[in-house]
Amino acid sequence: MYISTLTPSQSKKPLQAPSFQYIFLNKMTGPETLLKRRRVVEDLRRQKQADNKQEIAYRRSLRDKMVKRAEAYAKQYRQKEQDVARIQREAKKSGNFYVPEEAKVALVIRIRGINAVCSNTRKILQLFRLRQIHNAVFVKLNKATQTMLRLVEPYIAYGYPTLKTVRDLIYKRGYAKINKQRLPITSNKIIEDNLGHLDIICMEDLVHEIVTCGPNFKEVNRFFFPFKLNPPRGGYPEKRRHFIEGGQYGNREEHINEFLARML
């Protein structure tokens, strides 16, 4: 049984309410902290919404710019084809011959391994970044590079790629070299972050720079990791003979496009 220890006078004494000062401090301290926290969260939310709106507007304008560039490039390629066809017709009509301009870019593919490779040949292949079999790179043609290509001809197949070949190779096998890492080009933002200072912001800019051998060809070519290809469908018949002798290595000129199509 519970026995109360309070006296009758103490048990009948009414409870005293807390002081007004205590209630005031409790009510002001707790809610004020919550209000500050809510204001901070609300400010952060508004700032994030404003940043998102700016980012969306910037991406929309950038996308419109990419579309306009792609249309301009397509018009330029089409105009060049029409000019070549017109000049050919005029030359044939007047009884002359049309000699096309020399190629500015070559596509080089390594078709042999590392067995019995002399030091000079190995060094040239390293300069071309052809360290593995079935690697491919774009090379700007000049007197120095043409001499180097002739020195390593038994180990490579090269020729002059068309617009379709360049576009297919970049879109299907193009990887970026960022911080010495091989990364897939999953969006145009990767291109913009690394080549934006050269006004190169999308894939079509990369294709145009390679096809036309533009002023930023070296930077764009270094941006790509060496293209990794499959062995060609049908194999390598007569691999140790020159192409003009029915073999595989050497300069294929325009026939490199068909050869690359079998390796994609």
Side-chain angles (χ1 to χ4, degrees), residues 131-150:
R131 297 176 178 271
Q132 296 176 343
I133 190 172
H134 301 146
N135 277 9
V137 294
F138 294 108
V139 175
K140 184 177 182 179
L141 292 177
N142 52 40
K143 185 177 180 180
T145 55
Q146 288 176 347
T147 302
M148 295 167 67
L149 289 174
R150 284 195 293 269

Side-chain angles (χ1 to χ4, degrees), residues 37-226:
R37 187 181 302 171
R38 290 173 184 172
R39 283 197 296 267
V40 171
V41 173
E42 186 67 20
D43 293 341
L44 292 176
R45 186 180 63 83
R46 291 176 180 176
Q47 182 65 30
K48 186 176 181 180
Q49 288 180 350
D51 294 343
N52 290 339
K53 290 181 179 179
Q54 294 178 359
E55 182 71 15
I56 291 173
Y58 172 72
R59 288 297 167 189
R60 186 178 292 113
S61 63
L62 194 64
R63 185 166 58 249
D64 295 340
K65 186 178 181 181
M66 293 177 187
V67 172
K68 291 180 180 179
R69 282 194 181 185
E71 293 175 351
Y73 294 152
K75 184 178 180 181
Q76 179 182 348
Y77 301 145
R78 186 166 55 252
Q79 184 65 37
K80 185 177 180 180
E81 291 178 359
Q82 293 175 355
D83 291 343
V84 171
R86 177 179 53 80
I87 294 174
Q88 288 177 344
R89 288 195 303 269
E90 293 177 355
K92 185 177 180 180
K93 186 177 180 180
S94 60
N96 295 325
F97 294 96
Y98 169 71
V99 179
E101 62 179 358
E102 295 183 356
K104 299 179 181 179
V105 178
L107 175 64
V108 186
I109 305 173
R110 182 166 179 173
I111 62 174
R112 289 182 61 182
I114 61 175
N115 290 339
V117 180
C118 66
S119 58
N120 291 338
T121 302
R122 183 184 297 108
K123 183 62 178 179
I124 294 175
L125 292 174
Q126 289 177 358
L127 292 176
F128 282 143
R129 302 190 299 161
L130 298 172
R131 297 176 178 271
Q132 296 176 343
I133 190 172
H134 301 146
N135 277 9
V137 294
F138 294 108
V139 175
K140 184 177 182 179
L141 292 177
N142 52 40
K143 185 177 180 180
T145 55
Q146 288 176 347
T147 302
M148 295 167 67
L149 289 174
R150 284 195 293 269
L151 291 174
V152 296
E153 264 193 352
Y155 297 88
I156 60 173
Y158 66 99
Y160 315 131
T162 61
L163 171 63
K164 182 179 183 305
T165 299
V166 174
R167 181 178 282 121
D168 289 346
L169 184 60
I170 290 177
Y171 273 90
K172 293 181 180 180
R173 297 301 176 95
Y175 282 78
K177 185 179 181 181
I178 302 175
N179 296 329
K180 298 182 180 181
Q181 295 181 348
R182 183 174 181 260
L183 301 178
I185 306 176
T186 55
S187 67
N188 289 323
K189 191 175 185 306
I190 297 176
I191 303 173
E192 182 189 2
D193 292 342
N194 291 274
L195 299 175
H197 62 285
L198 301 175
D199 198 25
I200 297 174
I201 57 175
C202 61
M203 292 289 284
E204 287 300 322
D205 287 339
L206 299 177
V207 174
H208 182 263
E209 201 70 23
I210 294 294
V211 170
T212 60
C213 193
N216 300 316
F217 176 86
K218 181 179 179 180
E219 290 77 6
V220 172
N221 195 28
R222 287 288 177 178
F223 171 74
F224 287 114
F225 204 90

